Amino acid sequence: GGGRAEGISVGEAVVAKTMTRAERNKQARNKAREAELERQRQAKKANKQLNRIGEITKQVKKEVKDRDAAAQRRAVLKPEVEAAKVRRLGPYKLQAKAPEVLLPEELPKHLRSLPASAINPLKERFEGLQKRNLIEARFPKSKRKTLGNTWLGQRKSNKLKERAYIDF
């Protein structure tokens, strides 16, 4: 056999159709028309983007102007803010206490009869120095909790030995 299998149908033979000159011209015109339409679409898209550039530049200019105005306001207010700011001494922040004020109904008839037990001049002076940032803010430390039961304070090895020990 000449390399062909007998009895197997592969399909009809495809014959290439030869195009006439008119068909080739028509195809070239269609191709040129499609290219022109695509070029027009691209031009329209670019034109839309160019029209939007004006809007975008206005928006950017406005944002830059607002940012510059805010920076200028901050620059003007910065010395005032820095002057008002108090640098903290030490690691703690001073806790503001509400002033102890008596209501008009609570005031005695004579101010000399006010009890002075709540006023501690030394403590007030100390707090005033802390407020003026002449000394650092401090707070009383809480006492450490001690274990009441010595069993909890013992070493683990000692506990195990005591558990293991049995007296007969």
Side-chain angles (χ1 to χ4, degrees):
R4 291 180 65 173
E6 296 286 331
I8 297 178
S9 173
V10 178
E12 293 243 358
V14 178
V15 178
K17 183 179 176 196
T18 56
M19 292 179 70
T20 63
R21 182 178 296 240
E23 288 172 337
R24 275 191 244 120
N25 288 344
K26 186 176 181 182
Q27 191 177 27
R29 283 193 307 272
N30 284 340
K31 195 173 185 181
R33 190 169 22 121
E34 284 298 320
E36 179 64 21
L37 286 174
E38 184 61 30
R39 189 190 62 71
Q40 286 176 357
R41 283 189 208 112
Q42 293 297 330
K44 190 174 181 181
K45 197 177 203 181
N47 198 11
K48 278 185 179 179
Q49 287 178 349
L50 285 174
N51 289 340
R52 193 151 189 286
I53 284 178
E55 180 185 323
I56 292 171
T57 53
K58 283 180 188 176
Q59 187 178 4
V60 168
K61 284 179 184 177
K62 183 179 182 249
E63 288 176 7
V64 168
K65 185 179 173 185
D66 291 346
R67 196 179 315 126
D68 290 344
Q72 194 173 16
R73 280 193 304 262
R74 279 194 304 273
V76 169
L77 294 176
K78 190 173 185 176
E80 296 173 16
V81 170
E82 288 296 324
K85 222 185 254 187
V86 178
R87 301 290 297 174
R88 182 173 73 200
L89 289 176
Y92 300 109
K93 202 172 191 178
L94 183 65
Q95 301 294 326
K97 293 183 181 177
E100 296 177 18
V101 179
L102 291 176
L103 295 173
E105 303 87 44
E106 297 170 344
L107 281 173
K109 203 172 203 182
H110 302 288
L111 292 178
R112 287 185 177 202
S113 61
L114 271 175
S117 61
I119 299 169
N120 185 348
L122 187 62
K123 192 173 185 181
E124 281 186 7
R125 181 78 168 163
F126 191 71
E127 288 173 0
L129 290 172
Q130 286 178 342
K131 280 181 194 172
R132 288 183 284 157
N133 214 19
L134 298 174
I135 59 174
E136 68 180 69
R138 295 190 175 231
F139 299 100
K141 286 188 175 181
S142 60
K143 293 182 180 178
R144 286 187 179 176
K145 293 182 180 178
T146 57
L147 298 172
N149 190 351
T150 57
W151 174 261
L152 296 175
Q154 291 177 352
R155 298 182 78 182
K156 191 172 184 178
S157 61
N158 292 345
K159 284 193 254 182
L160 293 174
K161 286 177 188 174
E162 288 181 18
R163 286 187 192 155
Y165 179 73
I166 299 172
D167 191 15
F168 289 109

